[in-house]
PDB file of all heavy atoms in Angstrom:
ATOM      1  N   GLU A   1       0.839  -1.204   0.000  1.00  0.00           N
ATOM      2  CA  GLU A   1       0.000   0.000   0.000  1.00  0.00           C
ATOM      3  C   GLU A   1       0.872   1.251   0.000  1.00  0.00           C
ATOM      4  O   GLU A   1       0.593   2.212  -0.706  1.00  0.00           O
ATOM      5  CB  GLU A   1      -0.946   0.011   1.207  1.00  0.00           C
ATOM      6  CG  GLU A   1      -2.172  -0.830   1.014  1.00  0.00           C
ATOM      7  CD  GLU A   1      -3.015  -0.409  -0.181  1.00  0.00           C
ATOM      8  OE1 GLU A   1      -3.244   0.799  -0.381  1.00  0.00           O
ATOM      9  OE2 GLU A   1      -3.413  -1.313  -0.948  1.00  0.00           O
ATOM     10  N   LYS A   2       1.934   1.231   0.802  1.00  0.00           N
ATOM     11  CA  LYS A   2       2.860   2.373   0.827  1.00  0.00           C
ATOM     12  C   LYS A   2       3.505   2.567  -0.541  1.00  0.00           C
ATOM     13  O   LYS A   2       3.651   3.687  -1.021  1.00  0.00           O
ATOM     14  CB  LYS A   2       3.961   2.153   1.874  1.00  0.00           C
ATOM     15  CG  LYS A   2       3.518   2.415   3.282  1.00  0.00           C
ATOM     16  CD  LYS A   2       4.695   2.286   4.244  1.00  0.00           C
ATOM     17  CE  LYS A   2       4.254   2.570   5.664  1.00  0.00           C
ATOM     18  NZ  LYS A   2       5.355   2.478   6.610  1.00  0.00           N
ATOM     19  N   VAL A   3       3.885   1.475  -1.148  1.00  0.00           N
ATOM     20  CA  VAL A   3       4.518   1.550  -2.465  1.00  0.00           C
ATOM     21  C   VAL A   3       3.530   2.109  -3.488  1.00  0.00           C
ATOM     22  O   VAL A   3       3.865   3.008  -4.262  1.00  0.00           O
ATOM     23  CB  VAL A   3       5.043   0.158  -2.901  1.00  0.00           C
ATOM     24  CG1 VAL A   3       5.488   0.166  -4.355  1.00  0.00           C
ATOM     25  CG2 VAL A   3       6.174  -0.293  -1.988  1.00  0.00           C
ATOM     26  N   ARG A   4       2.313   1.557  -3.510  1.00  0.00           N
ATOM     27  CA  ARG A   4       1.299   2.021  -4.465  1.00  0.00           C
ATOM     28  C   ARG A   4       0.934   3.487  -4.241  1.00  0.00           C
ATOM     29  O   ARG A   4       0.661   4.216  -5.198  1.00  0.00           O
ATOM     30  CB  ARG A   4       0.045   1.156  -4.373  1.00  0.00           C
ATOM     31  CG  ARG A   4       0.168  -0.166  -5.104  1.00  0.00           C
ATOM     32  CD  ARG A   4      -1.165  -0.872  -5.222  1.00  0.00           C
ATOM     33  NE  ARG A   4      -1.546  -1.626  -4.034  1.00  0.00           N
ATOM     34  CZ  ARG A   4      -1.072  -2.820  -3.695  1.00  0.00           C
ATOM     35  NH1 ARG A   4      -0.175  -3.406  -4.445  1.00  0.00           N
ATOM     36  NH2 ARG A   4      -1.496  -3.430  -2.612  1.00  0.00           N
ATOM     37  N   ALA A   5       0.923   3.920  -2.998  1.00  0.00           N
ATOM     38  CA  ALA A   5       0.577   5.308  -2.674  1.00  0.00           C
ATOM     39  C   ALA A   5       1.760   6.247  -2.887  1.00  0.00           C
ATOM     40  O   ALA A   5       1.625   7.462  -2.743  1.00  0.00           O
ATOM     41  CB  ALA A   5       0.095   5.401  -1.228  1.00  0.00           C
ATOM     42  N   ASN A   6       2.912   5.661  -3.204  1.00  0.00           N
ATOM     43  CA  ASN A   6       4.129   6.452  -3.387  1.00  0.00           C
ATOM     44  C   ASN A   6       4.404   7.299  -2.141  1.00  0.00           C
ATOM     45  O   ASN A   6       4.762   8.473  -2.231  1.00  0.00           O
ATOM     46  CB  ASN A   6       4.018   7.319  -4.642  1.00  0.00           C
ATOM     47  CG  ASN A   6       5.365   7.695  -5.196  1.00  0.00           C
ATOM     48  OD1 ASN A   6       6.380   7.089  -4.862  1.00  0.00           O
ATOM     49  ND2 ASN A   6       5.385   8.703  -6.051  1.00  0.00           N
ATOM     50  N   ALA A   7       4.199   6.669  -0.990  1.00  0.00           N
ATOM     51  CA  ALA A   7       4.364   7.349   0.296  1.00  0.00           C
ATOM     52  C   ALA A   7       5.822   7.700   0.547  1.00  0.00           C
ATOM     53  O   ALA A   7       6.731   6.984   0.141  1.00  0.00           O
ATOM     54  CB  ALA A   7       3.849   6.454   1.426  1.00  0.00           C
ATOM     55  N   LYS A   8       6.012   8.814   1.225  1.00  0.00           N
ATOM     56  CA  LYS A   8       7.373   9.209   1.607  1.00  0.00           C
ATOM     57  C   LYS A   8       7.826   8.328   2.756  1.00  0.00           C
ATOM     58  O   LYS A   8       7.100   8.115   3.719  1.00  0.00           O
ATOM     59  CB  LYS A   8       7.414  10.673   2.023  1.00  0.00           C
ATOM     60  CG  LYS A   8       7.169  11.602   0.869  1.00  0.00           C
ATOM     61  CD  LYS A   8       7.483  13.023   1.245  1.00  0.00           C
ATOM     62  CE  LYS A   8       7.230  13.900   0.040  1.00  0.00           C
ATOM     63  NZ  LYS A   8       8.262  14.857  -0.175  1.00  0.00           N
ATOM     64  N   VAL A   9       9.026   7.794   2.612  1.00  0.00           N
ATOM     65  CA  VAL A   9       9.598   6.919   3.641  1.00  0.00           C
ATOM     66  C   VAL A   9      11.040   7.327   3.892  1.00  0.00           C
ATOM     67  O   VAL A   9      11.680   7.954   3.053  1.00  0.00           O
ATOM     68  CB  VAL A   9       9.534   5.427   3.220  1.00  0.00           C
ATOM     69  CG1 VAL A   9       8.106   4.941   3.123  1.00  0.00           C
ATOM     70  CG2 VAL A   9      10.274   5.191   1.925  1.00  0.00           C
ATOM     71  N   THR A  10      11.529   6.952   5.047  1.00  0.00           N
ATOM     72  CA  THR A  10      12.935   7.227   5.372  1.00  0.00           C
ATOM     73  C   THR A  10      13.812   6.293   4.556  1.00  0.00           C
ATOM     74  O   THR A  10      13.348   5.247   4.078  1.00  0.00           O
ATOM     75  CB  THR A  10      13.198   6.998   6.870  1.00  0.00           C
ATOM     76  OG1 THR A  10      13.026   5.604   7.143  1.00  0.00           O
ATOM     77  CG2 THR A  10      12.267   7.831   7.740  1.00  0.00           C
ATOM     78  N   PRO A  11      15.088   6.615   4.412  1.00  0.00           N
ATOM     79  CA  PRO A  11      15.990   5.712   3.690  1.00  0.00           C
ATOM     80  C   PRO A  11      16.036   4.315   4.319  1.00  0.00           C
ATOM     81  O   PRO A  11      16.092   3.316   3.598  1.00  0.00           O
ATOM     82  CB  PRO A  11      17.351   6.410   3.782  1.00  0.00           C
ATOM     83  CG  PRO A  11      17.020   7.858   3.915  1.00  0.00           C
ATOM     84  CD  PRO A  11      15.750   7.889   4.727  1.00  0.00           C
ATOM     85  N   GLU A  12      15.983   4.257   5.639  1.00  0.00           N
ATOM     86  CA  GLU A  12      16.013   2.948   6.309  1.00  0.00           C
ATOM     87  C   GLU A  12      14.753   2.150   5.981  1.00  0.00           C
ATOM     88  O   GLU A  12      14.804   0.955   5.727  1.00  0.00           O
ATOM     89  CB  GLU A  12      16.140   3.118   7.838  1.00  0.00           C
ATOM     90  CG  GLU A  12      17.436   3.733   8.307  1.00  0.00           C
ATOM     91  CD  GLU A  12      17.480   5.266   8.170  1.00  0.00           C
ATOM     92  OE1 GLU A  12      16.402   5.912   8.072  1.00  0.00           O
ATOM     93  OE2 GLU A  12      18.598   5.803   8.122  1.00  0.00           O
ATOM     94  N   GLU A  13      13.610   2.841   6.025  1.00  0.00           N
ATOM     95  CA  GLU A  13      12.349   2.163   5.707  1.00  0.00           C
ATOM     96  C   GLU A  13      12.325   1.738   4.237  1.00  0.00           C
ATOM     97  O   GLU A  13      11.844   0.658   3.892  1.00  0.00           O
ATOM     98  CB  GLU A  13      11.160   3.069   6.023  1.00  0.00           C
ATOM     99  CG  GLU A  13       9.832   2.337   5.958  1.00  0.00           C
ATOM    100  CD  GLU A  13       8.657   3.181   6.412  1.00  0.00           C
ATOM    101  OE1 GLU A  13       8.785   4.420   6.547  1.00  0.00           O
ATOM    102  OE2 GLU A  13       7.596   2.570   6.631  1.00  0.00           O
ATOM    103  N   PHE A  14      12.870   2.585   3.364  1.00  0.00           N
ATOM    104  CA  PHE A  14      12.958   2.236   1.947  1.00  0.00           C
ATOM    105  C   PHE A  14      13.762   0.954   1.774  1.00  0.00           C
ATOM    106  O   PHE A  14      13.359   0.054   1.032  1.00  0.00           O
ATOM    107  CB  PHE A  14      13.597   3.373   1.143  1.00  0.00           C
ATOM    108  CG  PHE A  14      13.838   3.010  -0.290  1.00  0.00           C
ATOM    109  CD1 PHE A  14      12.812   3.103  -1.217  1.00  0.00           C
ATOM    110  CD2 PHE A  14      15.084   2.542  -0.700  1.00  0.00           C
ATOM    111  CE1 PHE A  14      13.021   2.748  -2.543  1.00  0.00           C
ATOM    112  CE2 PHE A  14      15.302   2.186  -2.028  1.00  0.00           C
ATOM    113  CZ  PHE A  14      14.274   2.289  -2.952  1.00  0.00           C
ATOM    114  N   ASN A  15      14.902   0.863   2.447  1.00  0.00           N
ATOM    115  CA  ASN A  15      15.742  -0.334   2.345  1.00  0.00           C
ATOM    116  C   ASN A  15      15.011  -1.572   2.870  1.00  0.00           C
ATOM    117  O   ASN A  15      15.100  -2.649   2.289  1.00  0.00           O
ATOM    118  CB  ASN A  15      17.068  -0.142   3.084  1.00  0.00           C
ATOM    119  CG  ASN A  15      17.983   0.810   2.360  1.00  0.00           C
ATOM    120  OD1 ASN A  15      17.879   1.002   1.153  1.00  0.00           O
ATOM    121  ND2 ASN A  15      18.892   1.445   3.096  1.00  0.00           N
ATOM    122  N   ARG A  16      14.282  -1.414   3.979  1.00  0.00           N
ATOM    123  CA  ARG A  16      13.531  -2.531   4.541  1.00  0.00           C
ATOM    124  C   ARG A  16      12.427  -2.985   3.572  1.00  0.00           C
ATOM    125  O   ARG A  16      12.246  -4.174   3.335  1.00  0.00           O
ATOM    126  CB  ARG A  16      12.922  -2.143   5.891  1.00  0.00           C
ATOM    127  CG  ARG A  16      12.237  -3.293   6.623  1.00  0.00           C
ATOM    128  CD  ARG A  16      11.639  -2.887   7.958  1.00  0.00           C
ATOM    129  NE  ARG A  16      10.685  -1.793   7.891  1.00  0.00           N
ATOM    130  CZ  ARG A  16       9.412  -1.935   7.490  1.00  0.00           C
ATOM    131  NH1 ARG A  16       8.953  -3.095   7.135  1.00  0.00           N
ATOM    132  NH2 ARG A  16       8.613  -0.891   7.467  1.00  0.00           N
ATOM    133  N   ILE A  17      11.720  -2.020   2.994  1.00  0.00           N
ATOM    134  CA  ILE A  17      10.668  -2.339   2.022  1.00  0.00           C
ATOM    135  C   ILE A  17      11.268  -3.044   0.816  1.00  0.00           C
ATOM    136  O   ILE A  17      10.760  -4.073   0.359  1.00  0.00           O
ATOM    137  CB  ILE A  17       9.909  -1.054   1.601  1.00  0.00           C
ATOM    138  CG1 ILE A  17       9.056  -0.553   2.760  1.00  0.00           C
ATOM    139  CG2 ILE A  17       9.077  -1.290   0.349  1.00  0.00           C
ATOM    140  CD1 ILE A  17       8.443   0.827   2.523  1.00  0.00           C
ATOM    141  N   ASN A  18      12.348  -2.493   0.318  1.00  0.00           N
ATOM    142  CA  ASN A  18      13.012  -3.082  -0.855  1.00  0.00           C
ATOM    143  C   ASN A  18      13.476  -4.508  -0.560  1.00  0.00           C
ATOM    144  O   ASN A  18      13.281  -5.411  -1.376  1.00  0.00           O
ATOM    145  CB  ASN A  18      14.183  -2.197  -1.278  1.00  0.00           C
ATOM    146  CG  ASN A  18      14.760  -2.625  -2.598  1.00  0.00           C
ATOM    147  OD1 ASN A  18      14.023  -2.903  -3.538  1.00  0.00           O
ATOM    148  ND2 ASN A  18      16.083  -2.677  -2.676  1.00  0.00           N
ATOM    149  N   ASP A  19      14.087  -4.716   0.597  1.00  0.00           N
ATOM    150  CA  ASP A  19      14.556  -6.054   0.978  1.00  0.00           C
ATOM    151  C   ASP A  19      13.395  -7.037   1.105  1.00  0.00           C
ATOM    152  O   ASP A  19      13.490  -8.183   0.661  1.00  0.00           O
ATOM    153  CB  ASP A  19      15.340  -6.002   2.294  1.00  0.00           C
ATOM    154  CG  ASP A  19      16.679  -5.302   2.160  1.00  0.00           C
ATOM    155  OD1 ASP A  19      17.136  -5.089   1.015  1.00  0.00           O
ATOM    156  OD2 ASP A  19      17.266  -4.948   3.208  1.00  0.00           O
ATOM    157  N   THR A  20      12.292  -6.592   1.699  1.00  0.00           N
ATOM    158  CA  THR A  20      11.130  -7.456   1.887  1.00  0.00           C
ATOM    159  C   THR A  20      10.538  -7.870   0.540  1.00  0.00           C
ATOM    160  O   THR A  20      10.255  -9.054   0.310  1.00  0.00           O
ATOM    161  CB  THR A  20      10.056  -6.747   2.744  1.00  0.00           C
ATOM    162  OG1 THR A  20      10.622  -6.424   4.012  1.00  0.00           O
ATOM    163  CG2 THR A  20       8.833  -7.624   2.941  1.00  0.00           C
ATOM    164  N   ILE A  21      10.370  -6.914  -0.349  1.00  0.00           N
ATOM    165  CA  ILE A  21       9.799  -7.211  -1.664  1.00  0.00           C
ATOM    166  C   ILE A  21      10.736  -8.111  -2.462  1.00  0.00           C
ATOM    167  O   ILE A  21      10.300  -9.102  -3.064  1.00  0.00           O
ATOM    168  CB  ILE A  21       9.480  -5.905  -2.429  1.00  0.00           C
ATOM    169  CG1 ILE A  21       8.343  -5.163  -1.731  1.00  0.00           C
ATOM    170  CG2 ILE A  21       9.125  -6.200  -3.881  1.00  0.00           C
ATOM    171  CD1 ILE A  21       8.084  -3.767  -2.272  1.00  0.00           C
ATOM    172  N   THR A  22      12.023  -7.804  -2.447  1.00  0.00           N
ATOM    173  CA  THR A  22      12.997  -8.608  -3.181  1.00  0.00           C
ATOM    174  C   THR A  22      13.018 -10.043  -2.670  1.00  0.00           C
ATOM    175  O   THR A  22      13.021 -10.996  -3.458  1.00  0.00           O
ATOM    176  CB  THR A  22      14.403  -7.979  -3.077  1.00  0.00           C
ATOM    177  OG1 THR A  22      14.354  -6.659  -3.619  1.00  0.00           O
ATOM    178  CG2 THR A  22      15.440  -8.802  -3.811  1.00  0.00           C
ATOM    179  N   LYS A  23      13.015 -10.213  -1.354  1.00  0.00           N
ATOM    180  CA  LYS A  23      13.016 -11.549  -0.763  1.00  0.00           C
ATOM    181  C   LYS A  23      11.761 -12.315  -1.162  1.00  0.00           C
ATOM    182  O   LYS A  23      11.830 -13.489  -1.540  1.00  0.00           O
ATOM    183  CB  LYS A  23      13.132 -11.465   0.757  1.00  0.00           C
ATOM    184  CG  LYS A  23      13.169 -12.816   1.435  1.00  0.00           C
ATOM    185  CD  LYS A  23      13.254 -12.689   2.943  1.00  0.00           C
ATOM    186  CE  LYS A  23      13.230 -14.083   3.563  1.00  0.00           C
ATOM    187  NZ  LYS A  23      12.863 -14.059   4.950  1.00  0.00           N
ATOM    188  N   HIS A  24      10.618 -11.652  -1.096  1.00  0.00           N
ATOM    189  CA  HIS A  24       9.353 -12.301  -1.456  1.00  0.00           C
ATOM    190  C   HIS A  24       9.350 -12.716  -2.927  1.00  0.00           C
ATOM    191  O   HIS A  24       8.968 -13.850  -3.259  1.00  0.00           O
ATOM    192  CB  HIS A  24       8.181 -11.369  -1.154  1.00  0.00           C
ATOM    193  CG  HIS A  24       6.843 -11.953  -1.466  1.00  0.00           C
ATOM    194  ND1 HIS A  24       6.373 -13.102  -0.884  1.00  0.00           N
ATOM    195  CD2 HIS A  24       5.865 -11.543  -2.312  1.00  0.00           C
ATOM    196  CE1 HIS A  24       5.167 -13.377  -1.346  1.00  0.00           C
ATOM    197  NE2 HIS A  24       4.839 -12.437  -2.217  1.00  0.00           N
ATOM    198  N   GLU A  25       9.793 -11.848  -3.799  1.00  0.00           N
ATOM    199  CA  GLU A  25       9.834 -12.165  -5.232  1.00  0.00           C
ATOM    200  C   GLU A  25      10.785 -13.335  -5.505  1.00  0.00           C
ATOM    201  O   GLU A  25      10.497 -14.189  -6.335  1.00  0.00           O
ATOM    202  CB  GLU A  25      10.235 -10.938  -6.048  1.00  0.00           C
ATOM    203  CG  GLU A  25       9.185  -9.856  -6.075  1.00  0.00           C
ATOM    204  CD  GLU A  25       7.843 -10.320  -6.639  1.00  0.00           C
ATOM    205  OE1 GLU A  25       7.830 -11.054  -7.654  1.00  0.00           O
ATOM    206  OE2 GLU A  25       6.800  -9.961  -6.065  1.00  0.00           O
ATOM    207  N   ARG A  26      11.908 -13.377  -4.807  1.00  0.00           N
ATOM    208  CA  ARG A  26      12.864 -14.476  -4.958  1.00  0.00           C
ATOM    209  C   ARG A  26      12.237 -15.793  -4.507  1.00  0.00           C
ATOM    210  O   ARG A  26      12.399 -16.825  -5.156  1.00  0.00           O
ATOM    211  CB  ARG A  26      14.139 -14.180  -4.167  1.00  0.00           C
ATOM    212  CG  ARG A  26      15.278 -15.141  -4.477  1.00  0.00           C
ATOM    213  CD  ARG A  26      16.591 -14.801  -3.765  1.00  0.00           C
ATOM    214  NE  ARG A  26      16.876 -13.384  -3.639  1.00  0.00           N
ATOM    215  CZ  ARG A  26      16.896 -12.724  -2.467  1.00  0.00           C
ATOM    216  NH1 ARG A  26      16.660 -13.346  -1.344  1.00  0.00           N
ATOM    217  NH2 ARG A  26      17.181 -11.438  -2.430  1.00  0.00           N
ATOM    218  N   GLU A  27      11.521 -15.748  -3.377  1.00  0.00           N
ATOM    219  CA  GLU A  27      10.863 -16.954  -2.873  1.00  0.00           C
ATOM    220  C   GLU A  27       9.790 -17.453  -3.845  1.00  0.00           C
ATOM    221  O   GLU A  27       9.658 -18.654  -4.067  1.00  0.00           O
ATOM    222  CB  GLU A  27      10.244 -16.688  -1.496  1.00  0.00           C
ATOM    223  CG  GLU A  27      11.277 -16.535  -0.400  1.00  0.00           C
ATOM    224  CD  GLU A  27      10.697 -16.047   0.924  1.00  0.00           C
ATOM    225  OE1 GLU A  27       9.529 -15.563   0.940  1.00  0.00           O
ATOM    226  OE2 GLU A  27      11.405 -16.147   1.938  1.00  0.00           O
ATOM    227  N   VAL A  28       9.047 -16.527  -4.428  1.00  0.00           N
ATOM    228  CA  VAL A  28       8.030 -16.914  -5.419  1.00  0.00           C
ATOM    229  C   VAL A  28       8.713 -17.537  -6.631  1.00  0.00           C
ATOM    230  O   VAL A  28       8.294 -18.592  -7.117  1.00  0.00           O
ATOM    231  CB  VAL A  28       7.162 -15.704  -5.829  1.00  0.00           C
ATOM    232  CG1 VAL A  28       6.276 -16.051  -7.031  1.00  0.00           C
ATOM    233  CG2 VAL A  28       6.307 -15.234  -4.663  1.00  0.00           C
ATOM    234  N   ALA A  29       9.765 -16.908  -7.130  1.00  0.00           N
ATOM    235  CA  ALA A  29      10.483 -17.440  -8.289  1.00  0.00           C
ATOM    236  C   ALA A  29      11.054 -18.826  -7.990  1.00  0.00           C
ATOM    237  O   ALA A  29      10.948 -19.745  -8.818  1.00  0.00           O
ATOM    238  CB  ALA A  29      11.598 -16.486  -8.708  1.00  0.00           C
ATOM    239  N   ASP A  30      11.643 -18.995  -6.810  1.00  0.00           N
ATOM    240  CA  ASP A  30      12.184 -20.301  -6.425  1.00  0.00           C
ATOM    241  C   ASP A  30      11.080 -21.347  -6.325  1.00  0.00           C
ATOM    242  O   ASP A  30      11.249 -22.483  -6.754  1.00  0.00           O
ATOM    243  CB  ASP A  30      12.937 -20.213  -5.090  1.00  0.00           C
ATOM    244  CG  ASP A  30      14.233 -19.432  -5.180  1.00  0.00           C
ATOM    245  OD1 ASP A  30      14.700 -19.154  -6.318  1.00  0.00           O
ATOM    246  OD2 ASP A  30      14.785 -19.071  -4.121  1.00  0.00           O
ATOM    247  N   GLY A  31       9.945 -20.952  -5.747  1.00  0.00           N
ATOM    248  CA  GLY A  31       8.830 -21.873  -5.599  1.00  0.00           C
ATOM    249  C   GLY A  31       8.194 -22.258  -6.926  1.00  0.00           C
ATOM    250  O   GLY A  31       7.622 -23.338  -7.059  1.00  0.00           O
ATOM    251  N   MET A  32       8.286 -21.399  -7.916  1.00  0.00           N
ATOM    252  CA  MET A  32       7.676 -21.660  -9.220  1.00  0.00           C
ATOM    253  C   MET A  32       8.612 -22.338 -10.210  1.00  0.00           C
ATOM    254  O   MET A  32       8.156 -22.877 -11.213  1.00  0.00           O
ATOM    255  CB  MET A  32       7.187 -20.342  -9.833  1.00  0.00           C
ATOM    256  CG  MET A  32       5.972 -19.752  -9.160  1.00  0.00           C
ATOM    257  SD  MET A  32       4.514 -20.825  -9.243  1.00  0.00           S
ATOM    258  CE  MET A  32       4.222 -20.877 -11.005  1.00  0.00           C
ATOM    259  N   LYS A  33       9.903 -22.332  -9.919  1.00  0.00           N
ATOM    260  CA  LYS A  33      10.881 -22.799 -10.900  1.00  0.00           C
ATOM    261  C   LYS A  33      10.574 -24.192 -11.435  1.00  0.00           C
ATOM    262  O   LYS A  33      10.526 -24.400 -12.645  1.00  0.00           O
ATOM    263  CB  LYS A  33      12.290 -22.762 -10.316  1.00  0.00           C
ATOM    264  CG  LYS A  33      13.341 -23.136 -11.320  1.00  0.00           C
ATOM    265  CD  LYS A  33      14.729 -22.956 -10.811  1.00  0.00           C
ATOM    266  CE  LYS A  33      15.663 -23.371 -11.929  1.00  0.00           C
ATOM    267  NZ  LYS A  33      16.979 -22.904 -11.767  1.00  0.00           N
ATOM    268  N   LYS A  34      10.364 -25.164 -10.553  1.00  0.00           N
ATOM    269  CA  LYS A  34      10.153 -26.532 -11.044  1.00  0.00           C
ATOM    270  C   LYS A  34       8.852 -26.640 -11.838  1.00  0.00           C
ATOM    271  O   LYS A  34       8.767 -27.421 -12.782  1.00  0.00           O
ATOM    272  CB  LYS A  34      10.193 -27.546  -9.908  1.00  0.00           C
ATOM    273  CG  LYS A  34       8.980 -27.607  -9.032  1.00  0.00           C
ATOM    274  CD  LYS A  34       9.080 -28.733  -8.019  1.00  0.00           C
ATOM    275  CE  LYS A  34       7.778 -28.858  -7.258  1.00  0.00           C
ATOM    276  NZ  LYS A  34       7.765 -29.957  -6.344  1.00  0.00           N
ATOM    277  N   HIS A  35       7.863 -25.833 -11.506  1.00  0.00           N
ATOM    278  CA  HIS A  35       6.607 -25.866 -12.244  1.00  0.00           C
ATOM    279  C   HIS A  35       6.750 -25.212 -13.619  1.00  0.00           C
ATOM    280  O   HIS A  35       6.180 -25.692 -14.588  1.00  0.00           O
ATOM    281  CB  HIS A  35       5.497 -25.187 -11.442  1.00  0.00           C
ATOM    282  CG  HIS A  35       5.257 -25.855 -10.131  1.00  0.00           C
ATOM    283  ND1 HIS A  35       4.660 -27.086 -10.025  1.00  0.00           N
ATOM    284  CD2 HIS A  35       5.565 -25.485  -8.878  1.00  0.00           C
ATOM    285  CE1 HIS A  35       4.599 -27.440  -8.758  1.00  0.00           C
ATOM    286  NE2 HIS A  35       5.149 -26.487  -8.036  1.00  0.00           N
ATOM    287  N   ARG A  36       7.511 -24.134 -13.700  1.00  0.00           N
ATOM    288  CA  ARG A  36       7.741 -23.476 -14.991  1.00  0.00           C
ATOM    289  C   ARG A  36       8.564 -24.366 -15.933  1.00  0.00           C
ATOM    290  O   ARG A  36       8.343 -24.366 -17.130  1.00  0.00           O
ATOM    291  CB  ARG A  36       8.485 -22.161 -14.798  1.00  0.00           C
ATOM    292  CG  ARG A  36       7.693 -21.082 -14.158  1.00  0.00           C
ATOM    293  CD  ARG A  36       8.566 -19.814 -14.046  1.00  0.00           C
ATOM    294  NE  ARG A  36       8.054 -18.859 -13.126  1.00  0.00           N
ATOM    295  CZ  ARG A  36       7.101 -17.974 -13.403  1.00  0.00           C
ATOM    296  NH1 ARG A  36       6.568 -17.954 -14.583  1.00  0.00           N
ATOM    297  NH2 ARG A  36       6.678 -17.133 -12.488  1.00  0.00           N
ATOM    298  N   GLU A  37       9.512 -25.088 -15.351  1.00  0.00           N
ATOM    299  CA  GLU A  37      10.415 -25.919 -16.147  1.00  0.00           C
ATOM    300  C   GLU A  37       9.816 -27.279 -16.515  1.00  0.00           C
ATOM    301  O   GLU A  37      10.345 -27.970 -17.380  1.00  0.00           O
ATOM    302  CB  GLU A  37      11.731 -26.129 -15.393  1.00  0.00           C
ATOM    303  CG  GLU A  37      12.493 -24.839 -15.097  1.00  0.00           C
ATOM    304  CD  GLU A  37      12.957 -24.125 -16.356  1.00  0.00           C
ATOM    305  OE1 GLU A  37      13.481 -24.791 -17.266  1.00  0.00           O
ATOM    306  OE2 GLU A  37      12.772 -22.888 -16.428  1.00  0.00           O
ATOM    307  N   ALA A  38       8.727 -27.668 -15.856  1.00  0.00           N
ATOM    308  CA  ALA A  38       8.107 -28.967 -16.136  1.00  0.00           C
ATOM    309  C   ALA A  38       7.679 -29.022 -17.598  1.00  0.00           C
ATOM    310  O   ALA A  38       7.161 -28.057 -18.156  1.00  0.00           O
ATOM    311  CB  ALA A  38       6.912 -29.195 -15.222  1.00  0.00           C
ATOM    312  N   VAL A  39       7.909 -30.177 -18.217  1.00  0.00           N
ATOM    313  CA  VAL A  39       7.564 -30.360 -19.621  1.00  0.00           C
ATOM    314  C   VAL A  39       6.170 -30.978 -19.722  1.00  0.00           C
ATOM    315  O   VAL A  39       5.847 -31.923 -19.006  1.00  0.00           O
ATOM    316  CB  VAL A  39       8.613 -31.251 -20.328  1.00  0.00           C
ATOM    317  CG1 VAL A  39       8.208 -31.554 -21.755  1.00  0.00           C
ATOM    318  CG2 VAL A  39       9.984 -30.570 -20.293  1.00  0.00           C
ATOM    319  N   VAL A  40       5.360 -30.406 -20.597  1.00  0.00           N
ATOM    320  CA  VAL A  40       4.010 -30.900 -20.835  1.00  0.00           C
ATOM    321  C   VAL A  40       3.833 -31.170 -22.329  1.00  0.00           C
ATOM    322  O   VAL A  40       4.558 -30.624 -23.151  1.00  0.00           O
ATOM    323  CB  VAL A  40       2.926 -29.897 -20.363  1.00  0.00           C
ATOM    324  CG1 VAL A  40       2.930 -29.746 -18.863  1.00  0.00           C
ATOM    325  CG2 VAL A  40       3.095 -28.551 -21.030  1.00  0.00           C
TER     326      VAL A  40
END
């Protein structure tokens, strides 16, 4: 919501938000890898 609202955040909060989103996206990509690579 903060990201979508383009809310002003401190540099520390920006880094925390960035780390959280990056970690989540990595986990999703890792979780999907075997399904994307499966041959049908």
Side-chain angles (χ1 to χ4, degrees):
E1 279 301 316
K2 282 185 179 181
V3 170
R4 281 191 278 282
N6 204 17
K8 292 191 179 224
V9 294
T10 66
E12 295 80 20
E13 191 174 14
F14 174 82
N15 288 336
R16 186 180 56 78
I17 289 171
N18 189 45
D19 290 346
T20 300
I21 293 171
T22 301
K23 181 181 178 199
H24 181 60
E25 291 302 318
R26 191 176 323 113
E27 289 171 346
V28 170
D30 291 347
M32 288 298 296
K33 184 173 180 162
K34 76 175 186 176
H35 300 288
R36 290 181 197 278
E37 299 296 315
V39 175
V40 293

